[in-house]
Amino acid sequence: MAEDQYPQLHLDNQLCFSVYTLSRLITQAYQPMLQALGLTYPQYLVMLVLWQALEKGRPATQGALPVTVKFLCEQLQLDTGTVTPLLKRMESNGLLVRRRSAKDERVVEVDLTDSGKTLREQAKHIPADILCQTGVDVEQGKALRDELKGLIRQLAAPGS
């Protein structure tokens, strides 16, 4: 039997495939918890940004409510063509409201409704439940997250 000359092309040796598989499995782990809240995973990500903006004393540049659609897109690293349909569905579900800025009508602002704010309390257990499912402790989870953020920064840097 001939020696394999291209082990770098084996599926199991691909970083991209491991990350892709992990992403799908994590999203699947979230699904039952989010379904109970009436959210999809992308909608949950939008809610995380909006719930974070609820925190007191946050300057507007860091996303105090209301936030702009542009800010949401930047935080989620998605384009408006992806975020806008999400926001429309979430608005029709009563979780948020969108409106034109009084200062600049080209800018669309997003704010939580009372229902959207209340959902935060119901969702607070989700991060701990997901971490528990992974078998990773809090410190390992933070280290892994930081390592992944470093890789993201490296790949997102101009000229990468």
Side-chain angles (χ1 to χ4, degrees):
M1 188 161 174
E3 185 178 324
D4 190 346
Q5 296 179 3
Y6 302 101
Q8 71 273 24
L9 296 179
H10 289 194
L11 183 63
D12 288 346
N13 292 337
Q14 305 304 306
L15 174 63
C16 61
F17 185 66
S18 294
V19 171
Y20 169 74
T21 302
L22 179 61
S23 176
R24 283 188 317 99
L25 290 170
I26 288 176
T27 302
Q28 286 174 6
Y30 273 92
Q31 189 177 15
M33 289 178 262
L34 296 178
Q35 195 170 27
L37 300 177
L39 295 174
T40 64
Y41 183 72
Q43 290 172 343
Y44 175 66
L45 298 179
V46 169
M47 294 304 287
L48 289 174
V49 174
L50 296 174
W51 290 331
Q52 186 173 350
L54 280 173
E55 296 173 15
K56 302 286 185 220
R58 294 176 56 81
T61 56
Q62 293 181 8
L65 286 176
V67 300
T68 64
V69 170
K70 180 181 177 184
F71 178 81
L72 274 171
C73 290
E74 289 167 356
Q75 293 299 298
L76 299 171
Q77 299 181 30
L78 296 170
D79 60 43
T80 55
T82 302
V83 172
T84 299
L86 279 172
L87 298 176
K88 284 182 179 181
R89 283 191 301 278
M90 294 171 78
E91 186 172 33
S92 69
N93 291 338
L95 298 173
L96 56 84
V97 291
R98 296 174 303 141
R99 62 180 167 266
R100 298 271 172 199
S101 168
K103 296 176 187 171
D104 184 347
E105 68 180 32
R106 296 171 297 178
V107 174
V108 176
E109 296 175 333
V110 180
D111 205 347
L112 285 168
T113 61
D114 289 340
S115 295
K117 292 174 185 173
T118 302
L119 200 58
R120 183 183 193 191
E121 181 66 25
Q122 297 171 40
K124 71 180 181 181
H125 66 91
I126 291 174
D129 289 355
I130 291 295
L131 197 58
C132 185
Q133 285 185 41
T134 67
V136 173
D137 69 35
V138 173
E139 289 308 311
Q140 289 172 311
K142 286 179 183 177
L144 182 57
R145 181 201 60 218
D146 291 346
E147 205 169 324
L148 290 170
K149 282 183 175 182
L151 183 57
I152 291 165
R153 278 191 301 275
Q154 178 68 28
L155 290 173
S160 291

